Amino acid sequence: MCGIVGYIGASQAAPILLDGLSKLEYRGYDSAGIAVYDGENIKVQKAIGRLKVLSEQTHDGATMTGMAGIGHTRWATHGAPSNQNAHPHFNQEETIAVVHNGIIENYLKLKKHLEGKGYQFVSDTDTEVVAHLLDYYYKGDPIEAITRVMHRVEGSYALGIMFKAHPGILYAVRKDSPLIVGHGKDGNLIASDVPAVLKYTRNVYFIQNEEIAVLSEENIGFYNVDGEEITKESTTIDWDINAAEKGGYEHFMLKEMYEQPQTVRDTLNPRIKDGAIDIEELGMSEEEICMIKKIHIVACGSAYHTGVTAKYVFEGVARIPVEVDLASEFRYRNPILQQDDLVIIISQSGETADSLAALREAKNRGIKTLGIVNVVGSSIAREADKVMYTWAGPEIAVATTKAYSAQLVAEYLLAIKFAQIRGEITDAEVASYLKDLQKLPEQIEMLLSNKEKIQHFANRYISAKDVFFVGRGLDYAISMEGSLKLKEISYIHSEAYAAGELKHGTISLIEEGTLVAAVVTQEALYKKTISNIVELTSRGAFVLAVTNTGNTEIEKAADYVIYIPQTNRWFTNSLAIIPLQLFSYYVSVGKGCDVDKPRNLAKSVTVE
Ligand code: AGP
């Protein structure tokens, strides 16, 4: 996700901004920029690509003199990577400069309102709306302008702001996107994350939601959303730089697992407006959606696994036939595609060679394509006819977690919207689905808080040689992902099996103490899967069951049970995956594996 740095003090700001941004590079970005007040005006310099480009352009900041400034590394969400879309963004008179991390969910509505007032926009970003809105409300008091903006914007933001009319002050404000203030010896700083300030200070304030920080060279003040002054305690950071990049987590994978509630919120909320699903971004007419005869979902790895989940949901809720294919198979099997089919390519990186080739295969045949992608401006995002972004932010760990969860909820939204447009479900059913969907983040948070129990259980299996994951229906889909997570980060052999299929051969592998994770969340299939569990335990398997709260009956059959909160049956994969991710993570850590960079794996497989 984006990185923000700001500095005001007795030193030249630009070199400090560039240094701070370099400590945030791990967050992933595609462009960068800095703004510095030079005593007369706010000067801005931006560059696409790596921070090095910006450093070269400014001779490591030497060409931008001034003691106050803000800087930004942009992870594109609205608007592809470009100079125009890079931050900082100005108001028209260039008297206000803004850097932003987060998603302004109602930016289109605000943009239309401001355009109606004569404001002209130069970028495709949601952030530029904030710069013009500050201008719209600014009547001489920055705090008043900021609080009025806070009351108008919806979504998540961490903002660094400079007003030309108030050169000796930096302003910062946040809601749902992290932002800290550093109190240094020769100046004060703002940043998205601790690593950016550690070189200058370990004395930081963590800005809470809807708090405003006001920094001068000497002082730091804090205000609430009503513009009233508040007091805050500072914290002394004792992390080393390496730990700090992971936000205090031991690994990026763990950090990204804990970001899942936010990435699910960020992927859902901008698309749920006044109780309705808004997928205007796809530019698909209702007629087009009604004409779809068949959906082909094509992807690799974990993205493929979300496709298997989506098959059940699309067919179950929207009654549209779905075929799920591994991209590496699809591209060579001369697939049978009809004119009214829709090919959906799912990809976190948007650069997976097989998935990109599959996309091109479908396009060459004139079939409509939709990409569900996490990286804005990536090849698949650019080449697909339509794109639906998962706003998970950059995923650093090779084993996907937060992007996987964001893909799932994006697919649920599509299936429900398609079902509604095709008259398969009522508005009341849509409302019920949305209610359950919007509870998922807090339910995921609750499951993540349960990590000790799973960590303890995982420690018993770090020497395991084979682990099986079984389930029926959606529980089979999530078993695939659970198995891959364990394999790829702990190097323990694992297989996912349709529970009903075990007796057709694989059950011969079950020995005394073999661990089998049985996912049992589908009520209609409980009894069937419980009988499979009995088949397994009677042959010596140790069965870990993942099931819905309240299904205590299963304790008679399984050896160990992890409960997930009740949710709509179509959404259980989003919850069942959490204990399975935690299990794999702690087994891998217990084995001393390189959790974030497992052997032989790449984050994006851009070769065949
Ligand atoms: C996920 O944990 C794996 N690292 C891998 O299977 C990944 O899902 C697959 O390579 C697809 O990548 P993509 O989503 O970037 O296309």
Side-chain angles (χ1 to χ4, degrees):
M1 65 218 84
C2 305
I4 289 174
V5 180
Y7 170 78
I8 184 160
S11 303
Q12 287 300 319
I16 294 174
L17 298 176
L18 292 170
D19 172 71
L21 291 177
S22 72
K23 301 295 190 298
L24 299 179
E25 288 193 279
Y26 70 88
R27 296 163 71 91
Y29 65 99
D30 40 55
S31 56
I34 59 175
V36 175
Y37 180 71
D38 68 0
E40 204 176 315
N41 294 302
I42 300 173
K43 293 278 187 238
V44 165
Q45 184 70 41
K46 307 180 186 182
I48 305 179
R50 310 312 296 162
L51 202 52
K52 194 163 60 63
V53 179
L54 186 63
S55 295
E56 285 163 2
Q57 284 177 355
T58 60
H59 299 290
D60 293 332
T63 61
M64 296 185 76
T65 54
M67 324 297 251
I70 50 180
H72 188 264
T73 46
R74 180 175 183 247
W75 168 267
T77 53
H78 296 71
S82 70
N83 250 348
Q84 284 296 40
N85 289 334
H87 303 202
H89 284 284
F90 269 131
N91 64 329
Q92 259 160 249
E93 292 72 31
E94 301 194 353
T95 53
I96 300 171
V98 177
V99 289
H100 167 227
N101 177 28
I103 292 173
I104 304 297
E105 293 167 7
N106 61 339
Y107 85 100
L108 281 176
K109 195 169 99 183
L110 293 170
K111 187 168 183 174
K112 283 198 187 87
H113 171 72
L114 290 162
E115 285 171 333
K117 299 281 182 188
Y119 285 87
Q120 279 152 16
F121 287 75
V122 297
S123 81
D124 309 322
T125 66
D126 53 339
T127 306
E128 191 185 353
V129 167
V130 174
H132 293 305
L133 204 56
L134 284 165
D135 180 277
Y136 180 66
Y137 286 127
Y138 178 71
K139 304 283 180 275
D141 176 357
I143 299 275
E144 191 215 345
I146 291 169
T147 53
R148 296 188 71 175
V149 166
M150 291 164 74
H151 283 98
R152 281 302 301 275
V153 300
E154 294 164 16
S156 57
Y157 53 81
L159 297 169
I161 308 167
M162 294 170 76
F163 290 83
K164 180 180 168 186
H166 303 266
I169 308 280
L170 276 195
Y171 299 85
V173 60
R174 64 146 295 187
K175 175 176 166 291
D176 292 341
S177 278
L179 199 61
I180 63 163
V181 173
H183 185 45
K185 284 191 301 298
D186 77 339
N188 294 315
L189 303 100
I190 60 170
S192 300
D193 202 353
V194 166
V197 305
L198 281 185
K199 182 175 173 184
Y200 309 98
T201 181
R202 287 184 175 272
N203 184 18
V204 306
Y205 296 86
F206 290 92
I207 304 180
Q208 299 309 312
N209 268 359
E210 301 196 311
E211 290 180 348
I212 303 162
V214 179
L215 288 73
S216 66
E217 180 181 340
E218 304 289 330
N219 304 309
I220 301 171
F222 296 98
Y223 297 81
N224 64 20
V225 70
D226 297 322
E228 297 153 344
E229 190 149 13
I230 54 176
T231 53
K232 287 182 71 66
E233 297 297 315
S234 68
T235 304
T236 303
I237 300 294
D238 54 10
W239 299 337
D240 66 35
I241 263 271
N242 189 31
E245 281 187 358
K246 302 179 186 102
Y249 289 98
E250 192 181 350
H251 297 101
F252 279 114
M253 182 177 175
L254 190 61
K255 178 169 176 276
E256 287 157 6
M257 281 157 61
Y258 278 76
E259 286 173 349
Q260 288 179 115
Q262 191 58 44
T263 58
V264 166
R265 260 185 220 106
D266 285 347
T267 301
L268 281 178
N269 290 355
R271 296 168 173 129
I272 299 175
K273 297 194 172 85
D274 306 325
I277 297 176
D278 175 352
I279 51 169
E280 282 300 305
E281 68 203 271
L282 299 194
M284 286 181 86
S285 69
E286 294 205 355
E287 192 199 353
E288 275 179 284
I289 290 170
C290 290
M291 277 172 57
I292 296 170
K293 291 271 185 315
K294 181 175 182 180
I295 293 175
H296 300 261
I297 298 178
V298 186
C300 301
S302 295
Y304 167 80
H305 296 154
T306 73
V308 177
T309 298
K311 170 184 169 69
Y312 287 101
V313 182
F314 269 106
E315 291 190 347
V317 178
R319 306 306 295 156
I320 303 174
V322 176
E323 190 166 338
V324 194
D325 241 324
L326 289 167
S328 53
E329 292 295 309
F330 179 88
R331 63 184 293 197
Y332 293 119
R333 68 176 179 78
N334 190 15
I336 297 171
L337 304 175
Q338 310 287 355
Q339 212 43 53
D340 291 333
D341 287 0
L342 172 66
V343 171
I344 299 179
I345 306 288
I346 305 168
S347 177
Q348 186 287 130
S349 62
E351 300 299 346
T352 299
D354 285 321
S355 305
L356 183 55
L359 170 68
R360 290 170 177 165
E361 176 68 17
K363 288 191 72 175
N364 290 342
R365 298 174 179 218
I367 308 300
K368 193 168 290 156
T369 57
L370 161 64
I372 297 180
V373 183
N374 194 42
V375 180
V376 174
S378 57
S379 303
I380 292 173
R382 273 183 290 105
E383 295 186 28
D385 298 311
K386 318 280 181 189
V387 65
M388 181 179 193
Y389 285 116
T390 50
W391 285 318
E395 197 172 55
I396 312 297
V398 166
T400 183
T401 50
K402 62 174 186 172
Y404 171 87
S405 290
Q407 287 165 354
L408 285 182
V409 293
E411 291 152 13
Y412 300 153
L413 283 176
L414 270 186
I416 296 163
K417 185 68 177 179
F418 281 19
Q420 185 181 24
I421 289 171
R422 294 162 68 106
E424 294 291 340
I425 57 176
T426 64
D427 292 353
E429 286 174 304
V430 172
S432 168
Y433 283 135
L434 293 183
K435 190 162 154 285
D436 283 329
L437 275 180
Q438 292 184 300
K439 277 200 299 203
L440 288 177
E442 65 189 270
Q443 292 177 319
I444 293 170
E445 250 154 25
M446 191 279 286
L447 287 167
L448 288 165
S449 66
N450 187 18
K451 68 174 184 186
E452 279 75 19
K453 177 179 175 185
I454 295 164
Q455 182 174 9
H456 176 73
F457 181 80
N459 288 338
R460 292 160 46 180
Y461 288 95
I462 53 178
S463 321
K465 292 287 172 280
D466 299 287
V467 179
F468 294 88
F469 291 76
V470 301
R472 289 170 179 263
L474 278 162
D475 292 336
Y476 175 37
I478 200 62
S479 295
M480 293 177 179
E481 180 58 11
S483 173
L484 177 61
K485 283 284 136 328
L486 183 67
K487 273 184 278 199
E488 63 180 334
I489 63 173
S490 75
Y491 316 148
I492 291 175
H493 169 253
S494 169
E495 291 184 52
Y497 251 82
E501 184 62 12
L502 273 169
K503 54 184 165 304
H504 299 286
T506 305
I507 201 162
S508 67
L509 294 177
I510 301 301
E511 296 170 343
E512 189 57 36
T514 304
L515 176 61
V516 179
V519 185
V520 197
T521 69
Q522 301 301 298
E523 200 170 332
L525 300 166
Y526 273 160
K527 290 208 175 348
K528 297 289 177 198
T529 310
I530 286 182
S531 63
N532 296 138
I533 290 173
V534 174
E535 285 164 15
L536 289 159
T537 50
S538 60
R539 289 168 175 79
F542 184 98
V543 175
L544 157 69
V546 178
T547 191
N548 308 320
T549 301
N551 177 29
T552 50
E553 190 64 20
I554 204 164
E555 292 180 13
K556 292 187 187 124
D559 300 293
Y560 196 85
V561 182
I562 291 171
Y563 291 98
I564 63 171
Q566 288 290 350
T567 184
N568 183 286
R569 66 182 171 128
W570 300 116
F571 310 149
T572 60
N573 278 193
S574 294
L575 300 179
I577 190 56
I578 303 301
L580 301 183
Q581 288 171 346
L582 287 166
F583 173 71
S584 301
Y585 173 78
Y586 285 115
V587 169
S588 175
V589 169
K591 289 191 68 177
C593 297
D594 185 347
V595 174
D596 286 334
K597 296 189 186 64
R599 67 188 181 198
N600 311 335
L601 293 180
K603 181 60 186 169
S604 175
V605 184
T606 55
V607 294
E608 274 206 50

